[in-house]
Amino acid sequence: MRRLVTAGPGPMGARKRSTLFEGLRNGQDVATAALAAGLDARTVFTAARTDTALALLLAGTDPDELGAAGVIERAEYLRLRALACTPSLAAQILFDGARKASHWRQDDPAFARACVAVTELGAGRPAPARAPRFTPERRRSFLEHLASGRSVTAAAAHVGITSAVIYQRRKRDPAFAVAMAAAPHAHPRTR
């Protein structure tokens, strides 16, 4: 299983972060663990804004415990959704396009409710800036990558768009749908 990489050491540096984590895991309070790491408590709390593993540790759960990686991944997904990323874009950023979040929504009613709540949270906001355009050059490049054997998700990511853009284009552009269907047959793969 691939480990989700969160914000990492950031401005505190890897060594200080490691010392801080060790102190917090050993039951030290934030001020004491921060001081031992050469930091102040405010820096620790500021770092926890973008370091989900640190925030989880401050909340009393070791991010390396069994199951904590799933909690971190879900939190990161919800954070991206709250920042107006589409479900497809959030999955592309976190999971290379894998459909993990849709499986979580099906299997975990609490996570499904959280997704709905995050969507409703952003409902009153103006639409986010337009995603990169699916230019003729990008379409050509996408079809070349698809023909080389890449999946739709991988080919889309390679040209800097989400698979949702591909499927929307295929739906409304019959010529593109035909080209997309023909692409995997252009260069048959051999075993």
Side-chain angles (χ1 to χ4, degrees):
M1 182 175 121
R2 169 176 90 81
R3 183 171 172 117
L4 179 71
V5 178
T6 57
M12 75 172 68
R15 180 172 285 153
K16 289 182 179 184
R17 183 176 188 263
S18 176
T19 302
L20 174 69
F21 272 48
E22 183 179 333
L24 293 171
R25 284 184 176 118
N26 290 325
Q28 293 178 347
D29 63 86
V30 176
T32 304
L35 185 61
L39 302 165
D40 61 84
R42 177 66 4 223
T43 301
V44 173
F45 290 119
T46 300
R49 294 175 188 168
T50 57
D51 186 338
T52 308
L54 175 58
L56 192 61
L57 188 56
L58 290 172
T61 302
D62 190 329
D64 290 333
E65 283 180 8
L66 185 62
V71 171
I72 292 171
E73 287 177 335
R74 284 169 170 81
E76 290 294 329
Y77 178 83
L78 291 170
R79 180 182 67 84
L80 289 173
R81 293 288 290 124
L83 293 172
C85 289
T86 63
S88 176
L89 180 58
Q92 190 66 47
I93 291 168
L94 294 173
F95 316 121
D96 297 328
R99 297 179 44 86
K100 259 187 181 182
S102 59
H103 293 297
W104 290 337
R105 282 191 298 273
Q106 292 170 358
D107 299 339
D108 183 350
F111 182 73
R113 289 190 303 273
C115 288
V116 169
V118 167
T119 301
E120 289 172 355
L121 176 70
R125 287 188 296 212
R130 185 180 178 104
R133 298 188 65 88
F134 194 31
T135 62
E137 295 81 23
R138 281 191 169 148
R139 279 193 294 279
R140 180 187 47 73
S141 182
F142 165 78
L143 291 169
E144 287 172 0
H145 289 294
L146 193 61
S148 74
R150 287 191 170 90
S151 69
V152 170
T153 301
H158 195 79
V159 298
I161 56 175
T162 65
S163 56
V165 170
I166 297 296
Y167 293 121
Q168 289 166 3
R169 171 64 61 148
R170 183 178 73 177
K171 190 180 205 178
R172 69 174 190 269
D173 183 347
F176 179 70
V178 168
M180 199 173 149
H185 305 291
H187 302 287
R189 290 182 275 179
T190 58
R191 289 193 162 218

